[in-house]
């Protein structure tokens, strides 16, 4: 297994990015300014994009695992890798997600705690309704995790 940074032609992984953020124009908002990491284990299994939000805050903008390899630990491996890689430079890792029974428990198992909510985020920023596990996503739920370098 290898995790490596992708620095050029990040859009070649668009189909995987769209699993976690299904509108390309939203991905375009962070892809160029973010660091992308690819997890390969006998082929590409997962990826993530993180961005520097200033003042020691790092944000996980996209975390996607190939559907046939979900629930096998690849997402958690990427979260753990990001935490280790950025622990000395950042004090907090943040993630924003929908109020979904699939994603919220995953992030909580990874050590994230609820932080704040942005009301109507999905209604105001996406050109179509977003559904996950049969539930329409309305609000963006932010969770945070302290990194080792936290004061």
């Amino acid at each position: 297994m290898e995790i490596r940074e992708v620095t050029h032609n990040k859009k070649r992984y668009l189909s995987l990015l769209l699993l976690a953020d299904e509108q390309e124009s939203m991905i375009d908002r962070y892809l160029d300014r973010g660091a992308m990491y690819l997890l390969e284990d006998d082929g590409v299994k997962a990826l993530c994009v993180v961005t520097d939000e200033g003042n020691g805050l790092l944000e996980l903008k996209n975390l996607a695992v190939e559907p046939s390899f979900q629930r096998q630990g690849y997402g958690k491996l990427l979260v753990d890798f990001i935490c280790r890689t950025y622990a000395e430079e950042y004090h907090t890792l943040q993630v924003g997600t929908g109020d979904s029974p699939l994603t919220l428990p995953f992030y909580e198992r990874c050590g994230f705690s609820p932080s704040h909510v942005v009301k109507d985020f999905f209604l105001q920023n996406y050109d179509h309704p977003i559904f996950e596990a049969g539930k329409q996503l309305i609000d963006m739920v932010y969770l945070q995790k302290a990194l080792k370098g936290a004061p």
Side-chain angles (χ1 to χ4, degrees):
M1 185 189 71
E2 176 189 21
I3 298 174
R4 65 178 175 86
E5 186 172 3
V6 176
T7 56
H8 300 310
N9 195 16
K10 296 175 185 178
K11 281 264 188 123
R12 73 179 175 262
Y13 299 104
L14 183 61
S15 63
L16 193 51
L17 289 162
L18 287 167
L19 291 176
D21 193 343
E22 63 182 66
Q23 187 167 304
E24 187 174 353
S25 64
M26 293 298 286
I27 293 169
D28 289 341
R29 291 183 182 187
Y30 56 79
L31 190 59
D32 285 341
R33 70 181 183 91
M36 175 189 275
Y37 295 93
L38 199 66
L39 186 151
E40 295 176 298
D41 187 12
D42 207 14
V44 174
K45 300 296 190 271
L47 64 70
C48 70
V49 178
V50 293
T51 58
D52 181 339
E53 298 300 312
N55 299 317
L57 180 65
L58 184 70
E59 185 164 338
L60 182 58
K61 291 286 194 178
N62 192 307
L63 175 63
V65 178
E66 285 287 353
S68 59
F69 297 101
Q70 291 176 358
R71 299 188 179 276
Q72 295 181 28
Y74 291 115
K76 183 161 184 350
L77 283 170
L78 272 174
V79 170
D80 291 346
F81 169 82
I82 294 301
C83 290
R84 284 191 314 275
T85 300
Y86 289 94
E88 298 305 318
E89 188 177 350
Y90 294 86
H91 60 74
T92 304
L93 177 60
Q94 170 174 279
V95 63
T97 188
D99 182 12
S100 165
L102 297 179
T103 53
L104 288 176
F106 166 77
Y107 287 116
E108 289 169 353
R109 284 192 306 274
C110 289
F112 288 83
S113 300
S115 170
H116 61 284
V117 173
V118 177
K119 292 286 187 194
D120 298 329
F121 179 87
F122 290 95
L123 299 177
Q124 295 172 359
N125 290 281
Y126 286 81
D127 62 13
H128 63 284
I130 307 289
F131 289 88
E132 190 168 302
K135 179 178 183 181
Q136 184 174 359
L137 304 183
I138 307 284
D139 303 329
M140 177 76 83
V141 178
Y142 280 93
L143 301 102
Q144 293 186 341
K145 177 177 181 167
L147 299 177
K148 192 181 351 175

